[in-house]
PDB file of all heavy atoms in Angstrom:
ATOM      1  N   LEU A   1      13.358   7.990   2.927  1.00  0.00           N
ATOM      2  CA  LEU A   1      13.088   8.422   4.338  1.00  0.00           C
ATOM      3  C   LEU A   1      11.620   8.495   4.680  1.00  0.00           C
ATOM      4  O   LEU A   1      11.099   8.122   5.705  1.00  0.00           O
ATOM      5  CB  LEU A   1      13.717   9.835   4.585  1.00  0.00           C
ATOM      6  CG  LEU A   1      15.191   9.834   4.743  1.00  0.00           C
ATOM      7  CD1 LEU A   1      15.770  11.340   4.794  1.00  0.00           C
ATOM      8  CD2 LEU A   1      15.528   9.092   6.102  1.00  0.00           C
ATOM      9  N   ARG A   2      10.715   8.929   3.638  1.00  0.00           N
ATOM     10  CA  ARG A   2       9.354   9.062   3.860  1.00  0.00           C
ATOM     11  C   ARG A   2       8.678   7.628   4.096  1.00  0.00           C
ATOM     12  O   ARG A   2       7.757   7.475   4.879  1.00  0.00           O
ATOM     13  CB  ARG A   2       8.756   9.676   2.655  1.00  0.00           C
ATOM     14  CG  ARG A   2       7.286  10.223   2.925  1.00  0.00           C
ATOM     15  CD  ARG A   2       6.718  10.828   1.696  1.00  0.00           C
ATOM     16  NE  ARG A   2       7.366  12.195   1.414  1.00  0.00           N
ATOM     17  CZ  ARG A   2       7.373  12.742   0.169  1.00  0.00           C
ATOM     18  NH1 ARG A   2       6.826  12.084  -0.828  1.00  0.00           N
ATOM     19  NH2 ARG A   2       7.982  13.892   0.104  1.00  0.00           N
ATOM     20  N   SER A   3       9.311   6.582   3.691  1.00  0.00           N
ATOM     21  CA  SER A   3       8.789   5.290   3.841  1.00  0.00           C
ATOM     22  C   SER A   3       8.976   4.831   5.274  1.00  0.00           C
ATOM     23  O   SER A   3       8.379   3.943   5.764  1.00  0.00           O
ATOM     24  CB  SER A   3       9.503   4.186   2.935  1.00  0.00           C
ATOM     25  OG  SER A   3      10.776   3.997   3.365  1.00  0.00           O
ATOM     26  N   GLU A   4       9.831   5.420   6.029  1.00  0.00           N
ATOM     27  CA  GLU A   4      10.094   5.181   7.471  1.00  0.00           C
ATOM     28  C   GLU A   4       9.388   6.114   8.311  1.00  0.00           C
ATOM     29  O   GLU A   4       9.373   6.072   9.648  1.00  0.00           O
ATOM     30  CB  GLU A   4      11.621   5.399   7.778  1.00  0.00           C
ATOM     31  CG  GLU A   4      12.469   4.430   6.943  1.00  0.00           C
ATOM     32  CD  GLU A   4      14.017   4.540   7.241  1.00  0.00           C
ATOM     33  OE1 GLU A   4      14.278   5.254   8.256  1.00  0.00           O
ATOM     34  OE2 GLU A   4      14.768   4.079   6.460  1.00  0.00           O
ATOM     35  N   ILE A   5       8.533   7.062   7.719  1.00  0.00           N
ATOM     36  CA  ILE A   5       7.783   8.087   8.529  1.00  0.00           C
ATOM     37  C   ILE A   5       6.340   7.967   8.089  1.00  0.00           C
ATOM     38  O   ILE A   5       5.941   8.291   6.966  1.00  0.00           O
ATOM     39  CB  ILE A   5       8.291   9.533   8.293  1.00  0.00           C
ATOM     40  CG1 ILE A   5       9.749   9.612   8.741  1.00  0.00           C
ATOM     41  CG2 ILE A   5       7.339  10.568   9.129  1.00  0.00           C
ATOM     42  CD1 ILE A   5      10.374  11.054   8.390  1.00  0.00           C
ATOM     43  N   GLY A   6       5.430   7.303   8.921  1.00  0.00           N
ATOM     44  CA  GLY A   6       4.100   7.240   8.566  1.00  0.00           C
ATOM     45  C   GLY A   6       3.346   8.530   8.883  1.00  0.00           C
ATOM     46  O   GLY A   6       3.666   9.248   9.823  1.00  0.00           O
ATOM     47  N   MET A   7       2.324   8.759   8.062  1.00  0.00           N
ATOM     48  CA  MET A   7       1.524   9.969   8.318  1.00  0.00           C
ATOM     49  C   MET A   7       0.025   9.775   8.042  1.00  0.00           C
ATOM     50  O   MET A   7      -0.335   9.064   7.081  1.00  0.00           O
ATOM     51  CB  MET A   7       1.954  11.105   7.387  1.00  0.00           C
ATOM     52  CG  MET A   7       1.330  12.499   7.672  1.00  0.00           C
ATOM     53  SD  MET A   7       2.304  13.871   7.008  1.00  0.00           S
ATOM     54  CE  MET A   7       1.272  15.176   7.605  1.00  0.00           C
ATOM     55  N   VAL A   8      -0.767  10.208   9.025  1.00  0.00           N
ATOM     56  CA  VAL A   8      -2.227  10.077   8.977  1.00  0.00           C
ATOM     57  C   VAL A   8      -2.757  11.499   8.915  1.00  0.00           C
ATOM     58  O   VAL A   8      -2.424  12.337   9.811  1.00  0.00           O
ATOM     59  CB  VAL A   8      -2.763   9.327  10.171  1.00  0.00           C
ATOM     60  CG1 VAL A   8      -4.285   9.174  10.164  1.00  0.00           C
ATOM     61  CG2 VAL A   8      -2.112   7.954  10.245  1.00  0.00           C
ATOM     62  N   PHE A   9      -3.659  11.786   7.852  1.00  0.00           N
ATOM     63  CA  PHE A   9      -4.105  13.085   7.628  1.00  0.00           C
ATOM     64  C   PHE A   9      -5.430  13.340   8.248  1.00  0.00           C
ATOM     65  O   PHE A   9      -6.156  12.288   8.699  1.00  0.00           O
ATOM     66  CB  PHE A   9      -4.102  13.395   6.185  1.00  0.00           C
ATOM     67  CG  PHE A   9      -2.863  13.250   5.436  1.00  0.00           C
ATOM     68  CD1 PHE A   9      -2.304  12.038   4.932  1.00  0.00           C
ATOM     69  CD2 PHE A   9      -2.025  14.400   5.262  1.00  0.00           C
ATOM     70  CE1 PHE A   9      -1.119  11.953   4.398  1.00  0.00           C
ATOM     71  CE2 PHE A   9      -0.798  14.322   4.547  1.00  0.00           C
ATOM     72  CZ  PHE A   9      -0.358  13.087   4.182  1.00  0.00           C
ATOM     73  N   GLN A  10      -5.979  14.558   8.160  1.00  0.00           N
ATOM     74  CA  GLN A  10      -7.438  14.741   8.504  1.00  0.00           C
ATOM     75  C   GLN A  10      -8.358  14.041   7.705  1.00  0.00           C
ATOM     76  O   GLN A  10      -9.240  13.422   8.103  1.00  0.00           O
ATOM     77  CB  GLN A  10      -7.665  16.337   8.331  1.00  0.00           C
ATOM     78  CG  GLN A  10      -6.786  17.183   9.309  1.00  0.00           C
ATOM     79  CD  GLN A  10      -7.161  18.707   8.983  1.00  0.00           C
ATOM     80  OE1 GLN A  10      -8.274  19.034   8.612  1.00  0.00           O
ATOM     81  NE2 GLN A  10      -6.206  19.625   9.159  1.00  0.00           N
ATOM     82  N   GLN A  11      -8.130  14.065   6.345  1.00  0.00           N
ATOM     83  CA  GLN A  11      -8.920  13.276   5.390  1.00  0.00           C
ATOM     84  C   GLN A  11      -8.206  11.955   5.152  1.00  0.00           C
ATOM     85  O   GLN A  11      -7.004  11.818   5.455  1.00  0.00           O
ATOM     86  CB  GLN A  11      -9.046  13.994   4.085  1.00  0.00           C
ATOM     87  CG  GLN A  11      -9.737  15.332   4.234  1.00  0.00           C
ATOM     88  CD  GLN A  11     -11.205  15.253   4.788  1.00  0.00           C
ATOM     89  OE1 GLN A  11     -11.912  14.195   4.584  1.00  0.00           O
ATOM     90  NE2 GLN A  11     -11.609  16.270   5.535  1.00  0.00           N
ATOM     91  N   PHE A  12      -9.031  10.866   4.885  1.00  0.00           N
ATOM     92  CA  PHE A  12      -8.337   9.459   4.908  1.00  0.00           C
ATOM     93  C   PHE A  12      -7.488   9.233   3.722  1.00  0.00           C
ATOM     94  O   PHE A  12      -6.612   8.414   3.854  1.00  0.00           O
ATOM     95  CB  PHE A  12      -9.523   8.523   5.063  1.00  0.00           C
ATOM     96  CG  PHE A  12     -10.767   9.033   5.961  1.00  0.00           C
ATOM     97  CD1 PHE A  12     -11.940   9.232   5.546  1.00  0.00           C
ATOM     98  CD2 PHE A  12     -10.402   9.475   7.305  1.00  0.00           C
ATOM     99  CE1 PHE A  12     -12.949   9.688   6.277  1.00  0.00           C
ATOM    100  CE2 PHE A  12     -11.334   9.890   8.048  1.00  0.00           C
ATOM    101  CZ  PHE A  12     -12.647  10.038   7.517  1.00  0.00           C
ATOM    102  N   HIS A  13      -7.805   9.701   2.525  1.00  0.00           N
ATOM    103  CA  HIS A  13      -6.957   9.527   1.371  1.00  0.00           C
ATOM    104  C   HIS A  13      -6.876   8.072   0.987  1.00  0.00           C
ATOM    105  O   HIS A  13      -5.778   7.624   0.555  1.00  0.00           O
ATOM    106  CB  HIS A  13      -5.606  10.155   1.519  1.00  0.00           C
ATOM    107  CG  HIS A  13      -5.630  11.618   1.688  1.00  0.00           C
ATOM    108  ND1 HIS A  13      -6.153  12.490   0.747  1.00  0.00           N
ATOM    109  CD2 HIS A  13      -5.054  12.442   2.658  1.00  0.00           C
ATOM    110  CE1 HIS A  13      -5.960  13.670   1.219  1.00  0.00           C
ATOM    111  NE2 HIS A  13      -5.421  13.821   2.362  1.00  0.00           N
ATOM    112  N   LEU A  14      -7.943   7.315   1.163  1.00  0.00           N
ATOM    113  CA  LEU A  14      -7.872   5.909   0.743  1.00  0.00           C
ATOM    114  C   LEU A  14      -8.337   5.824  -0.728  1.00  0.00           C
ATOM    115  O   LEU A  14      -9.122   6.700  -1.318  1.00  0.00           O
ATOM    116  CB  LEU A  14      -8.972   5.061   1.580  1.00  0.00           C
ATOM    117  CG  LEU A  14      -8.694   5.066   3.096  1.00  0.00           C
ATOM    118  CD1 LEU A  14      -9.822   4.303   3.820  1.00  0.00           C
ATOM    119  CD2 LEU A  14      -7.286   4.492   3.435  1.00  0.00           C
ATOM    120  N   CYS A  15      -7.842   4.791  -1.428  1.00  0.00           N
ATOM    121  CA  CYS A  15      -8.229   4.634  -2.780  1.00  0.00           C
ATOM    122  C   CYS A  15      -9.538   3.970  -2.910  1.00  0.00           C
ATOM    123  O   CYS A  15      -9.803   2.834  -2.456  1.00  0.00           O
ATOM    124  CB  CYS A  15      -7.153   3.696  -3.539  1.00  0.00           C
ATOM    125  SG  CYS A  15      -5.443   4.416  -3.561  1.00  0.00           S
ATOM    126  N   PRO A  16     -10.567   4.640  -3.500  1.00  0.00           N
ATOM    127  CA  PRO A  16     -11.904   4.256  -3.240  1.00  0.00           C
ATOM    128  C   PRO A  16     -12.314   3.002  -4.074  1.00  0.00           C
ATOM    129  O   PRO A  16     -13.227   2.185  -3.665  1.00  0.00           O
ATOM    130  CB  PRO A  16     -12.771   5.352  -3.969  1.00  0.00           C
ATOM    131  CG  PRO A  16     -11.764   6.098  -4.819  1.00  0.00           C
ATOM    132  CD  PRO A  16     -10.451   5.986  -4.155  1.00  0.00           C
ATOM    133  N   HIS A  17     -11.452   2.573  -5.151  1.00  0.00           N
ATOM    134  CA  HIS A  17     -11.731   1.431  -5.968  1.00  0.00           C
ATOM    135  C   HIS A  17     -10.962   0.196  -5.518  1.00  0.00           C
ATOM    136  O   HIS A  17     -11.050  -0.787  -6.182  1.00  0.00           O
ATOM    137  CB  HIS A  17     -11.413   1.761  -7.522  1.00  0.00           C
ATOM    138  CG  HIS A  17     -12.211   2.968  -7.939  1.00  0.00           C
ATOM    139  ND1 HIS A  17     -13.584   2.979  -7.902  1.00  0.00           N
ATOM    140  CD2 HIS A  17     -11.832   4.164  -8.378  1.00  0.00           C
ATOM    141  CE1 HIS A  17     -14.036   4.208  -8.469  1.00  0.00           C
ATOM    142  NE2 HIS A  17     -12.956   4.915  -8.736  1.00  0.00           N
ATOM    143  N   ARG A  18     -10.224   0.366  -4.417  1.00  0.00           N
ATOM    144  CA  ARG A  18      -9.464  -0.798  -3.858  1.00  0.00           C
ATOM    145  C   ARG A  18     -10.048  -1.177  -2.566  1.00  0.00           C
ATOM    146  O   ARG A  18     -10.715  -0.397  -1.840  1.00  0.00           O
ATOM    147  CB  ARG A  18      -8.007  -0.390  -3.627  1.00  0.00           C
ATOM    148  CG  ARG A  18      -7.167  -0.232  -4.934  1.00  0.00           C
ATOM    149  CD  ARG A  18      -5.716   0.126  -4.472  1.00  0.00           C
ATOM    150  NE  ARG A  18      -4.954   0.527  -5.683  1.00  0.00           N
ATOM    151  CZ  ARG A  18      -3.972  -0.275  -6.191  1.00  0.00           C
ATOM    152  NH1 ARG A  18      -3.727  -1.419  -5.583  1.00  0.00           N
ATOM    153  NH2 ARG A  18      -3.308   0.009  -7.232  1.00  0.00           N
ATOM    154  N   THR A  19      -9.985  -2.434  -2.240  1.00  0.00           N
ATOM    155  CA  THR A  19     -10.472  -2.949  -0.957  1.00  0.00           C
ATOM    156  C   THR A  19      -9.595  -2.403   0.118  1.00  0.00           C
ATOM    157  O   THR A  19      -8.526  -1.955  -0.216  1.00  0.00           O
ATOM    158  CB  THR A  19     -10.493  -4.460  -0.940  1.00  0.00           C
ATOM    159  OG1 THR A  19      -9.182  -4.992  -0.965  1.00  0.00           O
ATOM    160  CG2 THR A  19     -11.234  -5.089  -2.184  1.00  0.00           C
ATOM    161  N   VAL A  20     -10.192  -2.667   1.272  1.00  0.00           N
ATOM    162  CA  VAL A  20      -9.354  -2.256   2.563  1.00  0.00           C
ATOM    163  C   VAL A  20      -7.949  -2.948   2.537  1.00  0.00           C
ATOM    164  O   VAL A  20      -6.950  -2.373   2.760  1.00  0.00           O
ATOM    165  CB  VAL A  20     -10.107  -2.548   3.786  1.00  0.00           C
ATOM    166  CG1 VAL A  20      -9.134  -2.543   5.096  1.00  0.00           C
ATOM    167  CG2 VAL A  20     -11.238  -1.586   3.974  1.00  0.00           C
ATOM    168  N   LEU A  21      -7.977  -4.269   2.238  1.00  0.00           N
ATOM    169  CA  LEU A  21      -6.763  -5.010   2.201  1.00  0.00           C
ATOM    170  C   LEU A  21      -5.805  -4.427   1.147  1.00  0.00           C
ATOM    171  O   LEU A  21      -4.553  -4.300   1.440  1.00  0.00           O
ATOM    172  CB  LEU A  21      -7.066  -6.547   1.980  1.00  0.00           C
ATOM    173  CG  LEU A  21      -5.866  -7.468   2.351  1.00  0.00           C
ATOM    174  CD1 LEU A  21      -5.736  -7.536   3.847  1.00  0.00           C
ATOM    175  CD2 LEU A  21      -6.215  -8.837   1.678  1.00  0.00           C
ATOM    176  N   GLU A  22      -6.328  -4.126   0.059  1.00  0.00           N
ATOM    177  CA  GLU A  22      -5.496  -3.597  -1.123  1.00  0.00           C
ATOM    178  C   GLU A  22      -4.911  -2.201  -0.742  1.00  0.00           C
ATOM    179  O   GLU A  22      -3.735  -1.982  -1.155  1.00  0.00           O
ATOM    180  CB  GLU A  22      -6.288  -3.561  -2.383  1.00  0.00           C
ATOM    181  CG  GLU A  22      -6.598  -5.021  -3.007  1.00  0.00           C
ATOM    182  CD  GLU A  22      -7.631  -4.934  -4.096  1.00  0.00           C
ATOM    183  OE1 GLU A  22      -8.365  -3.989  -4.195  1.00  0.00           O
ATOM    184  OE2 GLU A  22      -7.707  -5.872  -4.884  1.00  0.00           O
ATOM    185  N   ASN A  23      -5.737  -1.370  -0.058  1.00  0.00           N
ATOM    186  CA  ASN A  23      -5.224  -0.094   0.409  1.00  0.00           C
ATOM    187  C   ASN A  23      -4.029  -0.348   1.330  1.00  0.00           C
ATOM    188  O   ASN A  23      -3.055   0.487   1.204  1.00  0.00           O
ATOM    189  CB  ASN A  23      -6.294   0.703   1.139  1.00  0.00           C
ATOM    190  CG  ASN A  23      -7.078   1.590   0.189  1.00  0.00           C
ATOM    191  OD1 ASN A  23      -6.695   2.678  -0.135  1.00  0.00           O
ATOM    192  ND2 ASN A  23      -8.212   1.038  -0.423  1.00  0.00           N
ATOM    193  N   ILE A  24      -4.095  -1.327   2.156  1.00  0.00           N
ATOM    194  CA  ILE A  24      -3.027  -1.498   3.254  1.00  0.00           C
ATOM    195  C   ILE A  24      -1.808  -2.083   2.603  1.00  0.00           C
ATOM    196  O   ILE A  24      -0.692  -1.717   3.005  1.00  0.00           O
ATOM    197  CB  ILE A  24      -3.601  -2.331   4.358  1.00  0.00           C
ATOM    198  CG1 ILE A  24      -4.628  -1.494   5.098  1.00  0.00           C
ATOM    199  CG2 ILE A  24      -2.354  -2.570   5.390  1.00  0.00           C
ATOM    200  CD1 ILE A  24      -5.384  -2.269   6.093  1.00  0.00           C
ATOM    201  N   THR A  25      -2.057  -2.928   1.651  1.00  0.00           N
ATOM    202  CA  THR A  25      -0.813  -3.789   1.113  1.00  0.00           C
ATOM    203  C   THR A  25      -0.130  -3.010  -0.023  1.00  0.00           C
ATOM    204  O   THR A  25       1.067  -3.296  -0.451  1.00  0.00           O
ATOM    205  CB  THR A  25      -1.234  -5.150   0.554  1.00  0.00           C
ATOM    206  OG1 THR A  25      -2.136  -4.974  -0.465  1.00  0.00           O
ATOM    207  CG2 THR A  25      -1.775  -5.947   1.684  1.00  0.00           C
ATOM    208  N   MET A  26      -0.824  -1.950  -0.637  1.00  0.00           N
ATOM    209  CA  MET A  26      -0.253  -1.284  -1.733  1.00  0.00           C
ATOM    210  C   MET A  26       1.188  -0.689  -1.454  1.00  0.00           C
ATOM    211  O   MET A  26       2.047  -0.871  -2.288  1.00  0.00           O
ATOM    212  CB  MET A  26      -1.233  -0.090  -2.126  1.00  0.00           C
ATOM    213  CG  MET A  26      -0.834   0.579  -3.433  1.00  0.00           C
ATOM    214  SD  MET A  26      -2.224   1.579  -4.059  1.00  0.00           S
ATOM    215  CE  MET A  26      -2.653   2.530  -2.509  1.00  0.00           C
ATOM    216  N   GLY A  27       1.348  -0.041  -0.403  1.00  0.00           N
ATOM    217  CA  GLY A  27       2.646   0.583  -0.093  1.00  0.00           C
ATOM    218  C   GLY A  27       3.746  -0.484   0.013  1.00  0.00           C
ATOM    219  O   GLY A  27       4.772  -0.385  -0.684  1.00  0.00           O
ATOM    220  N   PRO A  28       3.620  -1.448   0.882  1.00  0.00           N
ATOM    221  CA  PRO A  28       4.656  -2.468   1.146  1.00  0.00           C
ATOM    222  C   PRO A  28       5.026  -3.205  -0.263  1.00  0.00           C
ATOM    223  O   PRO A  28       6.149  -3.577  -0.489  1.00  0.00           O
ATOM    224  CB  PRO A  28       4.017  -3.453   2.105  1.00  0.00           C
ATOM    225  CG  PRO A  28       3.074  -2.603   2.899  1.00  0.00           C
ATOM    226  CD  PRO A  28       2.560  -1.639   1.949  1.00  0.00           C
ATOM    227  N   ILE A  29       3.989  -3.517  -0.968  1.00  0.00           N
ATOM    228  CA  ILE A  29       4.158  -4.298  -2.256  1.00  0.00           C
ATOM    229  C   ILE A  29       4.834  -3.436  -3.240  1.00  0.00           C
ATOM    230  O   ILE A  29       5.872  -3.777  -3.896  1.00  0.00           O
ATOM    231  CB  ILE A  29       2.852  -4.785  -2.857  1.00  0.00           C
ATOM    232  CG1 ILE A  29       2.259  -5.869  -1.938  1.00  0.00           C
ATOM    233  CG2 ILE A  29       3.082  -5.304  -4.339  1.00  0.00           C
ATOM    234  CD1 ILE A  29       0.894  -6.320  -2.362  1.00  0.00           C
ATOM    235  N   GLU A  30       4.440  -2.180  -3.462  1.00  0.00           N
ATOM    236  CA  GLU A  30       4.905  -1.344  -4.555  1.00  0.00           C
ATOM    237  C   GLU A  30       6.216  -0.612  -4.107  1.00  0.00           C
ATOM    238  O   GLU A  30       7.027  -0.247  -5.060  1.00  0.00           O
ATOM    239  CB  GLU A  30       3.832  -0.319  -5.058  1.00  0.00           C
ATOM    240  CG  GLU A  30       2.664  -1.056  -5.529  1.00  0.00           C
ATOM    241  CD  GLU A  30       1.545  -0.057  -6.056  1.00  0.00           C
ATOM    242  OE1 GLU A  30       1.832   1.130  -6.037  1.00  0.00           O
ATOM    243  OE2 GLU A  30       0.478  -0.566  -6.521  1.00  0.00           O
ATOM    244  N   VAL A  31       6.318  -0.231  -2.927  1.00  0.00           N
ATOM    245  CA  VAL A  31       7.510   0.668  -2.524  1.00  0.00           C
ATOM    246  C   VAL A  31       8.593  -0.225  -1.912  1.00  0.00           C
ATOM    247  O   VAL A  31       9.824  -0.036  -2.154  1.00  0.00           O
ATOM    248  CB  VAL A  31       7.115   1.673  -1.494  1.00  0.00           C
ATOM    249  CG1 VAL A  31       8.255   2.461  -1.015  1.00  0.00           C
ATOM    250  CG2 VAL A  31       5.954   2.598  -2.024  1.00  0.00           C
TER     251      VAL A  31
END
């Protein structure tokens, strides 16, 4: 269910060692 509900927080919670593209593709690829 959580995969159908997107959430954007106060802090960005991006993975610092991944590129922008990798941050965005991580969920669709892994989940």
Side-chain angles (χ1 to χ4, degrees):
L1 281 173
R2 195 178 290 158
S3 71
E4 299 178 14
I5 303 175
M7 188 158 183
V8 178
F9 300 86
Q10 296 178 31
Q11 303 297 329
F12 321 121
H13 297 305
L14 300 177
C15 294
H17 304 300
R18 293 179 182 252
T19 67
V20 165
L21 195 73
E22 289 168 342
N23 267 277
I24 297 172
T25 59
M26 185 168 48
I29 291 170
E30 297 181 5
V31 178

